[in-house]
């Protein structure tokens, strides 16, 4: 295989990597008032170029001795990762300015996180995977700590860092065990010699797999590995939280999917992940009822969403990737839209309690409309993209998983509607809204309208994911 | 592919969007201009398509909305001869009524809102008639229902309007259940909703014995039930008279010319399926006949100018359904066309009279207006002439063909029933005419209305144009014994490309036809003369006997629904102690919430402490449990 093709395979990643280097140098030479808007603009431009490359280049294949894989399905996930990056940049600009933490390094870190995320998605080799995960993780720790004079932000970043390192250790150990068991570092379906990973008599392999999956579950914030999530999300800057609850979720679900793709029948791992999924749904929804802080509520709802999505990792047919992609896209848009509005309505305060939402409808009806739309989308109420996500998910898991699995998912979504509706109820309560609303940020507005429009777009054309992935 | 249908459909939507989004910015004249142009432009496109393309079927597939292994839902549009007829009626008469509304709404502050709703209605109506499958049609079906609701309740601060709007909406929802169930059955059994495919698949499946005729009848009757909602037939007709609370242009456009005919359109669209079921055809025929008779009887005793016209609409729609039941799809479509013209005309004239009389709708307070409103009188006379089926009016041709169809398919008895209804319709129409324009003396009217409100020019010219159209539209379907120039029955020839035209008329039967025609003509003239006799001079004294009470009480259908359906149901609910269930359903979510709060608290106390050590411990502990599971599974599988 010639080197040109290999480079073409990682062209989007190269664009982003070039962007990271270029911006980190350029930022040093630009005057502060100039780089305030040049760096975000350039960073978005790099992401758009990478996205355009992803859309145009529909080839597939392996490169670099099968360290990198390019498939149309994976391209889609990289595309929505980049969408997440663009939205994060848009909602961050005014946010960082207002809190006078407008370091240009933030955007460089974000771009580097994109790079890590894209590498982690496009590989079926443990070492490349580890590189990707670590780039993503380390940049996330830094972004969490961007409000470095704020105790809660630093605490969140520190918790995230220590516990994240703890889980990385598990991932590494797991990889080591599996390597010890099989002598292989590849885990792709079509590369791995048939049956070698399905050897249930190999205790090294089995234990290693559990450690690996447990480490991934931590990153995904799946219960019972989720305890860090609420604390970290609550403390992290809201813009960073939007990034953290969506982009790593995409990355780690794709890794789960790639890893388990050929090994579904391999009972111990499947049972382990199924237990994780059920506990996540239950704990996430139950804990969300308890929350008074809107960011914590979203954090626990994201735990529950991890649970739904793990189900599709276990129970899926050949087109499961499309369902996963649609659900994740809808989820990403709803999360970003919601948190963008929350940034908008919390100009002077980082954390808003549910009770403080009263009177919002009177002071900013448009925000309430959009926020309700995104909440309903998360809840999966019909006429939102989230509904189609849940519908496709159910169609996919129910025929294979059977009555109990489908039923568990349905019951949990019904439970979740309870707190989502309560949240909407708070939005319409009478009273005086006591916080000031950001009124002067075009970027922020662009972000939530973009999220809204794409949500409506994929609602009208649900087949878009299938079409992109070439299934339809 | 996206092409003509895209343009035609989206221009009214754009008009709606502009007017609703810019309602605070756009001045009134511009809003009106946008509203009118949003209908006129698609009309010119449709006209160009009509003349430009001869043998045409345009089918445009926009995108696949949803697909699964067993079925596919597409968003696709088709423009064939049948939808072309509907398209021209909707956009042509719709355009005229939009222009009329410019005059009607000139003093209203919220004209922008009015025009945006009207454009939205046109958009949904186009979706309804251009949809290539039942799903797209259903979207339009629901959309026009919504617009009807919005427009009936346009003066939402008036309680009567708000109640009427709700009634219309709820009644239509009842019919929609039939539509939805039919869609489910069709999807489940045939996996498609496309008209073309359904029209082939179902007859084939029936012929090969895959499905029984019972299933086909069920589907047809469910669809017809939906049609009774939208087209205001028994048992769901009670909303239409109340819908007259809306502004008069709305009554003309939605509740006379277009929306209420969508039930007819639905059945004509799926005629090969309805043709298969004798039972469904009889149900349609007799329901139509019953509705037509009852509403014509009620119309003879109404005192509200618009309510008379509303009952007349129900009656005429019943006529069309009778034709459908007898397999006369062409006749029904022809009557639909002429009806759209003359009923819109009558409504618009009524609106003009109402406006000029300072919003007076009560017939007993009118009379003697012949000399004071000469133009309205003349135009009303044209409309009345047409609807009564008097010679060479539009209704004469269409009613004649319809009656002939009934006679051929069902024989004397049904024909006689239809003739009776024709008599009644001539009677109530001329009753209306004489009550408005004659009856009282001119001095009396001078006393009650010293001054008249000037009629806006837009309204006047629309009336003249529409009157001319009403005179001419009958020529589309000249019966062959009058066909001196041998042009043929144009509308039947046109529709024959899509719809079968049963029972070619033989020459030897034309004597029978002339005989029947003469009879029905005589009956119509009889109705006219009776009305003239009773109402020309003055108001007759109404006798208070049982029959009159029945008619004035509108056959007590509303009261029957109230007393025998709504009340027993609520009593049943109370009697069964469902109130306790209600308590249960109120408190169950509370218990559920409390339950989950408990779970959450117990997890929160043990796990969610905020201490990192605890979290790390939890991770390690969970990992250990994972190991334990694996080891157990491992050992058990290893042991055997």
């Amino acid at each position: 295989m010639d080197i040109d093709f290999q480079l073409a395979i990682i062209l989007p990643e190269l664009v982003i990597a070039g962007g990271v280097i270029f911006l980190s140098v350029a930022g040093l030479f630009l005057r502060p008032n100039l780089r305030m808007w040049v760096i975000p603009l350039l960073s978005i431009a790099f992401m758009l170029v990478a996205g355009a490359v992803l859309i145009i280049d529909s080839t597939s294949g392996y490169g670099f001795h099968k360290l990198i894989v390019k498939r149309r399905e994976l391209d889609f996930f990289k595309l929505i990762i980049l969408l997440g990056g663009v939205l994060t940049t848009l909602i961050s600009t005014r946010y960082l300015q207002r809190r006078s933490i407008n370091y240009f390094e933030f955007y460089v870190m974000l771009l580097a996180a994109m790079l890590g995320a894209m590498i982690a998605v496009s590989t079926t080799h443990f070492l490349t995977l580890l590189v990707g995960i670590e780039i993503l993780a380390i940049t996330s720790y830094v972004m969490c700590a961007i409000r470095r004079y704020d105790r809660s932000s630093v605490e969140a970043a520190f918790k995230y860092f220590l516990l994240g390192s703890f889980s990385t250790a598990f991932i590494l150990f797991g990889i080591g065990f599996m390597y010890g068991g099989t002598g292989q570092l590849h885990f792709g379906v079509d590369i791995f010699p048939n049956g070698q990973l399905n050897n249930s008599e190999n205790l090294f392999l089995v234990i290693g797999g559990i450690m690996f999956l447990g480490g991934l579950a931590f990153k995904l914030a799946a219960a019972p590995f989720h305890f860090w999530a609420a604390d970290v999300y609550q403390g992290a800057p809201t813009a960073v939280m939007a990034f953290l609850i969506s982009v790593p979720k995409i990355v780690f679900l794709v890794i789960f999917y790639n890893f388990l793709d050929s090994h579904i029948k391999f009972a111990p791992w499947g049972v382990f992940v199924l237990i994780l999924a059920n506990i996540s749904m239950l704990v996430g929804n139950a804990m969300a009822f308890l929350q008074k802080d809107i960011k914590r509520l979203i954090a626990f709802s994201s735990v529950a969403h991890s649970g739904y999505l793990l189900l599709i990792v276990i129970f899926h047919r050949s087109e499961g990737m499309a369902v996963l992609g649609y659900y994740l896209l809808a989820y990403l848009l709803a999360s970003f839209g919601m948190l963008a509005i929350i940034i908008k309505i919390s100009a002077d305060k980082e954390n808003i309690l549910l009770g403080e939402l009263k009177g919002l409808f009177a002071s900013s009806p448009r925000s309430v409309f959009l926020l309700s739309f995104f909440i309903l989308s998360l809840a999966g109420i019909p006429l939102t993209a989230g509904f189609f996500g849940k519908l496709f998910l159910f169609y996919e898991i129910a025929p294979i998983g059977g009555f109990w699995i489908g039923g568990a998912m349905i019951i949990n979504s019904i439970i979740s509607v309870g707190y989502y509706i309560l949240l909407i109820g708070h939005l319409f309560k009478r009273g005086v809204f006591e916080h000031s609303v950001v009124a002067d940020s075009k970027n922020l507005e662009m972000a939530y309208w973009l999220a809204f429009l794409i949500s409506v777009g994929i609602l009208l054309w649900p087949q878009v994911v299938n079409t992109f992935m070439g299934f339809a | 592919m996206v092409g003509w249908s895209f343009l035609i459909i989206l221009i009214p939507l754009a008009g709606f969007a502009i007017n609703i989004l810019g309602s605070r910015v756009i001045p009134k004249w511009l809003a009106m201009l946008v509203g009118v142009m949003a209908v006129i432009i698609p009309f010119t496109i449709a006209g160009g398509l009509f003349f430009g393309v001869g043998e045409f079927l345009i089918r445009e597939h926009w995108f696949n909305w949803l697909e699964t292994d067993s079925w596919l839902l597409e968003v696709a549009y088709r423009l064939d001869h049948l939808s072309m007829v509907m398209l021209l009626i909707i956009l042509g008469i719709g355009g005229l009524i939009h222009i009329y509304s410019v005059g009607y709404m000139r003093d209203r502050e919220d004209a922008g809102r009015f025009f945006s709703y009207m454009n939205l209605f046109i958009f949904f109506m186009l979706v309804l008639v251009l949809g290539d499958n039942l799903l797209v049609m259903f979207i339009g079906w629901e959309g026009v229902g919504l617009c009807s609701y919005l427009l009936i309740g346009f003066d939402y601060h008036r309680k009567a309007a708000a109640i009427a709007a709700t009634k219309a909406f709820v009644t239509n929802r009842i019919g929609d259940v039939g539509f939805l169930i039919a869609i489910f059955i069709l999807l489940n059994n045939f996996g498609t909703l496309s008209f073309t495919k359904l029209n082939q698949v179902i007859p084939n499946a029936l012929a090969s014995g895959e499905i029984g005729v019972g299933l086909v009848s069920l589907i047809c009757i469910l669809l017809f039930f939906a049609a009774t909602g939208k087209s205001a037939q028994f048992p769901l007709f009670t909303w239409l008279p109340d819908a007259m609370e809306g502004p008069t242009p709305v009554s003309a456009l939605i509740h006379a010319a277009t929306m209420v005919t969508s039930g007819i359109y639905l059945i004509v669209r799926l005629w090969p399926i309805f043709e298969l079921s004798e039972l469904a055809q009889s149900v349609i025929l007799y329901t139509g006949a019953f509705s037509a008779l009852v509403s014509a009887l009620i119309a003879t005793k109404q005192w509200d100018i618009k309510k008379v016209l509303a009952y007349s609409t129900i009656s005429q729609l019943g006529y069309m359904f009778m034709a459908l039941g007898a397999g006369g799809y062409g006749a029904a479509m022809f009557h639909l066309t002429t009806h759209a013209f003359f009923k819109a005309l009558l409504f618009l004239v009524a609106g003009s009279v109402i406006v000029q009389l300072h919003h007076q709708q009560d017939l007993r307070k009118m009379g003697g207006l012949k000399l004071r409103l000469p133009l309205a009188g003349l135009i009303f006379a044209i409309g009345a002439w047409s609807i009564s089926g008097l010679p060479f009016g539009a209704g004469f041709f269409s009613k004649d063909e319809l009656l002939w169809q009934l006679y051929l398919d069902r024989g004397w008895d049904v024909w006689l029933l239809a003739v009776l209804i024709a008599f009644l319709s001539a009677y109530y129409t001329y009753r209306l005419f004489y009550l408005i324009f004659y009856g009282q003396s001119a001095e009396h009217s001078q006393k009650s209305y010293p001054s008249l409100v000037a009629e806006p020019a837009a309204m006047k010219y629309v009336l003249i144009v529409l009157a001319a159209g009403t005179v001419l539209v009958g020529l589309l379907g000249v019966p062959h014994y009058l066909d001196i120039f041998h042009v043929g029955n144009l509308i039947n020839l046109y529709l024959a490309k899509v719809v079968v035209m049963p029972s070619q008329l033989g020459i030897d039967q034309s004597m029978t036809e002339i005989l029947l025609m003469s009879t029905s003509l005589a009956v119509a003239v009889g109705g006219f003369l009776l009305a003239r006799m009773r109402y020309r001079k003055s108001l007759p004294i109404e006798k208070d006997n049982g029959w009159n009470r029945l008619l004035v009480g509108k056959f007590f259908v509303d009261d029957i629904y109230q007393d025998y359906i709504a009340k027993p149901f609520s009593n049943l609910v109370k009697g069964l102690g469902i109130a306790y269930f209600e308590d249960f359903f109120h408190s169950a979510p509370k218990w559920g919430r409390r339950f989950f709060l408990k779970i959450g608290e117990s997890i929160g106390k043990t796990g969610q402490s905020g201490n990192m050590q605890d979290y790390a411990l939890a991770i390690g502990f969970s990992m250990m449990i994972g190991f334990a599971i694996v080891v157990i599974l491992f050992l058990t599988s290893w042991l055997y």
Side-chain angles (χ1 to χ4, degrees):
Chain A
M1 202 161 288
D2 61 304
I3 191 76
D4 290 345
F5 177 71
Q6 300 199 359
L7 286 179
I9 274 187
I10 56 163
L11 190 55
E13 284 86 351
L14 286 180
V15 170
I16 299 289
V20 172
I21 296 166
F22 177 76
L23 289 185
S24 56
V25 177
L28 296 175
F29 292 99
L30 286 171
R31 271 181 285 121
N33 58 345
L34 200 60
R35 73 183 175 207
M36 240 165 57
W37 60 271
V38 169
I39 298 285
L41 194 68
L42 281 178
S43 142
I44 288 183
F46 277 111
M47 289 189 238
L48 290 182
V49 170
V53 173
L54 281 172
I55 292 175
I56 294 165
D57 181 14
S58 61
T59 55
S60 59
Y62 290 95
F64 302 101
H65 304 283
K66 301 191 173 177
L67 287 177
I68 294 283
V69 55
K70 178 170 167 31
R71 289 209 310 269
R72 211 56 185 145
E73 296 98 307
L74 300 178
D75 283 353
F76 179 80
F77 289 103
K78 290 196 237 175
L79 212 53
I80 58 176
I81 287 169
L82 287 172
L83 177 64
V86 171
L87 290 172
T88 313
T89 315
L90 285 177
I91 63 177
S92 302
T93 50
R94 184 53 53 94
Y95 178 86
L96 297 180
Q97 273 173 30
R98 279 191 163 268
R99 285 163 177 76
S100 49
I101 41 172
N102 197 12
Y103 312 113
F104 80 92
E105 289 86 347
F106 178 83
Y107 303 105
V108 180
M109 285 297 158
L110 181 63
L111 210 54
M114 295 287 110
L115 176 66
M118 287 165 73
I119 291 178
V121 165
S122 55
T123 182
T124 48
H125 190 279
F126 283 128
L127 291 185
T128 330
L129 181 73
L130 204 65
V131 172
I133 293 178
E134 279 309 288
I135 296 177
L136 175 61
I138 291 170
T139 48
S140 308
Y141 305 149
V142 177
M143 283 195 286
C144 257
I146 195 82
R147 279 163 61 215
R148 59 188 170 139
Y149 300 112
D150 184 289
R151 279 179 62 98
S152 65
S153 177
V154 173
E155 182 196 333
F158 188 63
K159 271 184 187 165
Y160 193 26
F161 170 61
L162 271 190
L163 293 170
S165 313
F166 191 52
S167 74
T168 308
F170 274 111
I171 292 179
L172 265 170
F173 255 114
I175 291 174
F177 268 57
M178 282 189 279
Y179 183 67
T182 63
Q184 276 282 1
L185 282 172
H186 284 291
F187 62 87
V189 199
D190 40 356
I191 304 177
F192 211 83
N194 205 12
Q196 234 172 311
L197 259 186
N198 283 343
N199 184 356
S200 58
E201 293 184 13
N202 190 335
L203 195 53
F204 269 115
L205 176 65
V206 181
I207 295 281
I210 293 290
M211 289 167 107
F212 181 69
L213 291 171
L216 291 183
F218 170 87
K219 302 275 190 186
L220 188 65
F225 300 96
H226 71 287
F227 289 108
W228 59 277
D231 294 6
V232 170
Y233 294 164
Q234 187 187 14
T238 313
V240 178
M241 176 189 171
F243 172 82
L244 286 180
I245 65 169
S246 50
V247 173
K249 192 154 279 174
I250 299 171
V251 173
F252 289 101
L253 276 163
V254 174
I255 298 171
F256 258 106
Y257 197 104
N258 280 338
F259 181 69
L260 288 177
D261 205 11
S262 58
H263 319 305
I264 310 295
K265 296 191 192 77
F266 189 41
W269 294 351
V271 169
F272 183 63
V273 177
L274 185 58
I275 292 172
L276 291 185
N278 278 306
I279 297 180
S280 295
M281 292 192 289
L282 194 66
V283 169
N285 286 327
M287 290 298 284
F289 266 104
L290 203 66
Q291 304 309 320
K292 302 270 184 295
D293 181 325
I294 187 164
K295 277 168 80 177
R296 279 182 86 87
L297 191 148
I298 299 173
F300 281 107
S301 102
S302 102
V303 171
H305 278 282
S306 297
Y308 304 133
L309 286 161
L310 280 177
L311 286 178
I312 189 106
V313 170
I314 314 166
F315 304 106
H316 63 81
R317 289 172 290 187
S318 58
E319 294 177 10
M321 274 272 188
V323 178
L324 186 64
Y326 189 89
Y327 195 108
L328 279 171
L329 179 54
Y331 170 78
L332 175 132
L333 291 169
S335 315
F336 267 102
M338 237 176 124
L339 287 165
I341 305 270
I342 288 168
I343 290 177
K344 181 183 158 79
I345 61 175
S346 57
D348 53 348
K349 197 164 178 258
E350 194 59 35
N351 291 67
I352 288 197
L353 301 182
L354 289 181
E356 294 172 341
L357 288 170
K358 66 180 189 303
L360 184 58
F361 183 65
S363 69
S364 175
R366 200 175 296 165
S367 308
V368 168
F369 165 72
L370 284 169
L371 199 49
S372 315
F373 176 83
F374 292 126
I375 292 169
L376 291 178
S377 187
L378 278 184
I381 302 293
L383 282 184
T384 58
F387 167 70
F388 271 124
K390 282 218 168 75
L391 181 74
F392 292 153
L393 190 75
F394 181 75
Y395 267 179
E396 198 71 14
I397 61 172
I400 310 170
F403 180 77
W404 290 109
I405 303 299
M409 187 216 145
I410 294 286
I411 287 174
N412 273 295
S413 348
I414 292 170
I415 294 169
S416 76
V417 171
Y419 59 82
Y420 288 123
I421 295 290
L422 280 179
L423 180 51
I424 294 181
H426 280 290
L427 297 179
F428 287 92
K429 276 211 173 117
R430 274 167 213 221
V432 182
F433 187 64
E434 284 155 1
H435 301 290
S436 48
V437 173
V438 182
D440 56 345
S441 176
K442 285 275 170 286
N443 287 349
L444 194 57
E445 276 180 29
M446 208 198 302
Y448 56 69
W449 282 113
L450 191 67
F452 177 74
L453 286 179
I454 302 179
S455 295
V456 172
I458 61 172
L459 169 70
L460 293 177
W461 191 27
Q463 296 293 314
V464 59
V465 184
N466 275 10
T467 313
F468 185 89
M469 293 186 177
F471 290 134
Chain B
M1 198 191 85
V2 170
W4 291 114
S5 67
F6 190 75
L7 264 181
I8 294 179
I9 288 178
L10 286 198
I11 291 172
L13 185 64
F16 160 72
I18 291 170
N19 271 341
I20 200 89
L21 294 177
S23 53
R24 291 186 193 163
V25 205
I26 298 177
K28 201 162 73 176
W29 65 269
L30 187 62
M32 288 176 163
L33 183 70
V34 168
V36 171
M37 289 320 281
V39 187
I40 299 293
I41 296 172
F43 178 66
T44 50
I45 298 174
L49 283 175
F50 176 75
F51 287 111
V53 196
E55 301 286 319
F56 63 101
L57 164 70
I58 301 176
R59 189 180 178 284
E60 284 167 1
H61 175 250
W62 286 22
F63 56 87
N64 283 351
W65 195 47
L66 268 185
E67 57 187 301
T68 71
D69 305 337
S70 48
W71 42 265
L72 167 71
L73 299 180
E74 319 173 80
V75 175
Y77 291 86
R78 67 183 290 143
L79 183 55
D80 59 7
H81 298 77
L82 180 58
S83 30
M84 192 78 210
V85 170
M86 292 299 284
L87 194 66
L88 290 176
I89 292 173
I90 293 161
L91 290 172
I93 293 182
L96 285 175
I97 292 173
H98 272 71
I99 298 171
Y100 179 93
S101 312
V102 170
Y104 192 86
M105 303 301 288
R106 72 191 157 158
D107 299 328
R108 295 285 300 255
E109 277 313 304
D110 42 5
R113 190 164 63 92
F114 181 80
F115 275 92
S116 66
Y117 292 164
M118 290 285 269
N119 281 348
L120 186 67
F121 168 76
I122 295 279
F123 162 74
F124 277 122
M125 196 67 210
L126 294 178
V127 170
L128 195 160
V129 298
L130 290 178
D132 186 52
N133 56 49
L134 276 172
L135 182 80
V136 176
M137 190 178 188
F138 186 68
I139 293 170
W141 189 272
E142 291 294 288
V144 291
L146 169 73
C147 293
S148 162
Y149 167 79
L150 290 173
L151 284 164
I152 294 168
F154 185 72
D155 297 323
Y156 51 84
H157 42 81
R158 271 196 308 125
K159 199 171 177 205
I163 290 173
T166 312
K167 183 172 177 184
F169 194 76
V170 170
T171 314
N172 268 302
R173 291 301 305 163
I174 297 171
D176 293 339
V177 174
F179 204 128
L180 275 177
I181 295 174
I183 283 185
F184 296 151
I185 294 176
L186 288 170
L187 260 190
N188 197 27
N189 282 297
F190 307 105
T192 180
L193 293 176
S194 146
F195 293 130
T196 327
K197 284 189 194 139
L198 285 179
N199 284 344
Q200 285 167 355
V201 167
I202 294 181
N204 288 346
L206 188 66
S208 66
E210 274 173 59
I211 53 171
V213 74
L215 183 70
V216 180
S217 298
L218 179 65
I219 292 169
C220 292
I221 288 171
L222 284 170
L223 285 174
F224 174 64
F225 184 63
T228 61
K230 197 108 302 184
S231 294
Q233 297 295 297
F234 182 82
L236 299 178
F237 68 90
T238 52
W239 64 271
L240 188 64
D242 291 18
M244 295 300 125
E245 291 293 341
T248 307
V250 173
S251 311
L253 177 63
I254 301 185
H255 305 119
T258 53
M259 184 189 86
V260 287
T261 61
S262 44
I264 316 265
Y265 173 77
L266 170 69
I267 292 174
V268 177
R269 187 89 266 181
L270 289 170
W271 68 268
I273 303 170
F274 282 87
E275 196 84 324
L276 298 175
S277 166
E278 276 293 321
L279 175 66
Q281 285 202 319
S282 297
V283 168
I284 293 172
L285 181 93
Y286 290 109
T287 312
F290 182 70
S291 312
L293 186 62
V294 165
S295 55
L297 284 171
I298 296 175
T300 58
K301 294 289 171 196
Q302 288 297 305
W303 291 114
D304 184 318
I305 180 168
K306 285 177 77 181
K307 291 221 164 140
V308 176
L309 291 175
Y311 280 109
S312 148
T313 304
I314 299 173
S315 171
Q316 298 295 321
L317 289 165
Y319 241 70
M320 296 175 213
F321 278 108
M322 285 172 82
L324 293 179
Y329 305 107
M333 283 306 290
F334 184 34
H335 196 60
L336 188 158
T337 312
T338 56
H339 173 257
F341 274 88
F342 58 65
K343 190 50 67 61
L345 183 71
L346 285 172
F347 264 115
L348 294 186
V349 164
S352 152
V353 170
I354 292 168
V355 165
Q356 295 184 62
L357 295 186
H358 306 269
H359 289 271
Q360 178 58 263
Q361 292 186 243
D362 194 332
L363 287 169
R364 281 166 292 199
K365 297 185 179 145
M366 295 183 184
L369 293 169
K370 171 179 63 168
L371 292 173
R372 305 190 62 194
L373 302 172
L375 180 74
L378 178 68
I379 289 175
F380 199 104
I382 293 174
W385 189 267
S386 299
I387 192 176
S388 315
L390 293 174
F392 308 111
F396 169 70
F397 296 112
S398 57
K399 217 173 250 182
D400 179 51
E401 190 185 332
L402 205 148
L403 289 171
W404 176 234
Q405 198 68 53
L406 285 176
Y407 170 73
L408 284 183
D409 198 74
R410 297 275 164 162
W412 284 103
D413 36 359
V414 175
W415 180 84
L416 266 177
L417 189 63
V419 167
L420 175 63
I421 297 163
F423 168 79
L424 285 170
S425 61
Y427 173 73
Y428 64 67
T429 311
Y430 276 99
R431 169 178 174 270
L432 190 59
F433 178 73
Y434 284 114
L435 279 174
I436 300 174
F437 296 104
Y438 289 84
Q440 311 284 357
S441 61
E443 295 80 53
H444 177 267
S445 105
Q446 194 75 45
K447 218 182 296 164
S448 9
Y449 302 101
S451 71
L452 295 178
V453 180
E455 186 183 23
M459 286 165 70
K460 204 182 292 176
Y461 293 122
V462 166
L463 284 179
I464 294 170
V465 172
L466 200 56
T470 308
V471 172
L472 293 176
V473 67
L475 300 179
L476 289 177
V478 179
H480 63 94
Y481 54 84
L482 286 177
D483 192 4
I484 312 160
F485 302 107
H486 295 284
V487 285
N489 189 328
L490 290 176
I491 196 155
N492 276 3
L493 289 173
Y494 189 69
L495 284 175
K497 314 239 167 53
V498 190
V499 181
V500 72
M501 290 298 155
S503 59
Q504 290 305 310
L505 311 171
I507 296 298
D508 54 328
Q509 281 179 316
S510 75
M511 272 321 288
T512 326
E513 193 179 358
I514 288 174
L515 189 67
L516 293 180
M517 188 270 293
S518 318
T519 319
S520 68
L521 198 57
V523 166
V525 172
F528 161 60
L529 289 175
L530 184 65
R532 185 183 155 87
M533 198 175 76
R534 280 174 65 98
Y535 292 101
R536 182 146 199 267
K537 291 281 173 251
S538 60
L539 286 181
I541 298 135
E542 302 284 340
K543 282 187 221 99
D544 189 29
N545 56 18
W547 177 243
N548 273 343
R549 245 175 284 152
L550 187 64
L551 293 190
V552 172
K554 305 166 195 172
F555 281 82
F556 305 111
V557 178
D558 272 322
D559 308 81
I560 290 170
Y561 287 169
Q562 191 64 39
D563 292 350
Y564 293 97
I565 296 180
K567 263 193 204 142
F569 191 74
S570 62
N571 287 341
L572 183 77
V573 169
K574 279 181 203 139
L576 283 179
I578 292 181
Y580 297 106
F581 286 98
E582 201 176 331
D583 282 349
F584 170 76
F585 284 115
H586 276 301
S587 46
K590 274 185 213 147
W591 297 338
R593 181 156 174 271
R594 215 168 290 160
F595 175 69
F596 284 107
L597 283 177
K598 272 275 170 328
I599 296 185
E601 270 163 15
S602 56
I603 299 171
K605 265 188 206 127
T606 51
Q608 204 77 43
S609 63
N611 278 336
M612 227 179 334
Q613 296 92 316
D614 293 352
Y615 293 179
L617 200 64
I619 292 171
F621 189 66
S622 311
M623 208 64 100
M624 296 296 280
I625 293 174
F627 293 156
I629 293 167
V630 169
V631 169
I632 291 166
L633 285 172
F634 183 79
L635 287 178
T636 47
S637 68
W638 197 50
L639 283 176
Y640 60 82

